[in-house]
């Protein structure tokens, strides 16, 4: 069965006649398609498309998944996520050993009348490092915890795009703290910081990054005050080290200013280590100026973009505009020019 054209005019990866679960391209395409399924589920709800008129089912049925639960926002009753269970035909079970049993996927912002108010308010919460204080996160976290506790040891994937990638990062981070590592596919994840990566002059760009690192490290030390000895690791450092065992896949596009700063975030960390300024960058990596500002005001802040480890996958294929660079559809295209880098926190 072919994947139908959805309401956004995007065709799915029908070229995947069968999925090789050991192939990174196949795995990425499936994860992106299931995120797209959540977008189309919500549009089906908004347009009252039911039964045979619904456009969402082919996005999961094509890969032998079943929809077992929709995640509903309690504020606007929109569908913001879904839980899918893999149920392959018996003829394909042997080749699906490395397939996930469950995929929990989250959509990003939909700028339609029914969802724009709630989604934009959540975008603001994300920018303010306060997504963890929202009811949508509570619903998402409970759903992920329930699946992990009821089916311990099962392969579970998290997947999300844009705002949904932020939700997946937040739930994934919290599961790590509970001792559960979930394979995570984060498409165009938001990086809340000035878009320095957009600066074309490499020297100017590098200068800005060094200045930001020094300022961030200095503010961090100042806020610690005299209550902490030099030999004692801070609670933040310990938490950051715990998270280092989790290695999500970050899919970013240089043409998308919402996520492109991840490229410089990880590369600058390596550059600073090579320059012998690892201590400064270690502090800067764990903190952000915005986070320090919010904490100075007494606000509870949890910046999602500060990740210790990741597999960074950059789509350097030509992007005609920002809309395409930020789209979920780019990630299931068959011929992408991708640059992959592995970053591990030590």
């Amino acid at each position: 069965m072919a994947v139908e054209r959805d309401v956004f005019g995007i065709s799915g990866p029908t070229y995947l006649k069968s999925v090789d679960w050991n192939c990174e391209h196949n795995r990425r395409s499936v994860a992106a398609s299931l995120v797209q399924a959540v977008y189309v589920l919500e549009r089906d709800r908004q347009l009252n498309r039911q039964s045979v008129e619904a456009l969402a089912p082919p996005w999961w049925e094509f890969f032998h998944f079943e929809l077992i639960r929709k995640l509903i926002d309690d504020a606007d009753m929109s569908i913001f996520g879904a839980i899918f269970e893999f149920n392959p035909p018996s003829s394909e079970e042997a080749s699906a050993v490395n397939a996930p049993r469950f995929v929990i996927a989250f959509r990003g912002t939909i700028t339609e009348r029914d969802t724009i108010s709630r989604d934009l308010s959540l975008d603001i919460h994300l920018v303010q490092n306060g997504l963890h204080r929202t009811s949508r996160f509570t619903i998402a976290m409970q759903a992920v915890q329930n699946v992990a506790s009821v089916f311990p040891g099962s392969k579970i994937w998290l997947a999300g795009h844009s705002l949904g990638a932020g939700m997946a990062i937040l739930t994934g981070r919290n599961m790590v703290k509970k001792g559960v590592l979930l394979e995570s596919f984060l498409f165009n994840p938001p990086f809340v910081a000035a878009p320095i990566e957009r600066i074309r002059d490499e020297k100017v760009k590098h200068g800005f990054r060094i200045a930001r690192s020094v300022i961030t490290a200095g503010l961090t030390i100042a806020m610690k005050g005299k209550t902490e000895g030099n030999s004692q690791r801070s609670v933040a450092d310990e938490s950051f080290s715990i998270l280092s065992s989790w290695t999500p896949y970050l899919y970013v596009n240089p043409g998308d200013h919402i996520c492109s700063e991840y490229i410089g975030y990880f590369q600058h960390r390596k550059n600073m280590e090579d320059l012998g300024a690892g201590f400064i960058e270690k502090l800067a990596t764990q903190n952000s100026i915005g986070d320090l500002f919010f904490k100075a005001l007494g606000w509870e802040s949890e910046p999602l973009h500060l990740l210790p480890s990741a597999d960074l996958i950059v789509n350097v294929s030509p992007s005609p505009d920002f809309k395409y660079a930020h789209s979920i559809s780019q990630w299931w295209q068959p011929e992408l020019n991708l640059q992959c880098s592995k970053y591990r926190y030590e």
Side-chain angles (χ1 to χ4, degrees), residues 315-331:
N315 181 11
V316 294
S317 304
S319 296
D321 50 33
F322 167 76
K323 183 178 180 180
Y324 179 82
H326 189 64
S327 70
I328 185 66
S329 63
Q330 67 185 294
W331 299 110

Side-chain angles (χ1 to χ4, degrees), residues 162 165 186-192 195 197 250-265 312-313 322 325-326 330-331:
S162 194
L186 311 173
F187 301 100
N188 302 83
F191 192 104
V192 182
E197 190 63 27
L250 303 185
Y251 298 95
V252 306
N253 189 311
D256 175 13
H257 63 267
I258 292 175
C259 68
S260 62
E261 192 58 25
Y262 273 108
I263 301 170
Y265 171 76
L312 183 68
I313 300 94
F322 167 76
H326 189 64
Q330 67 185 294
W331 299 110

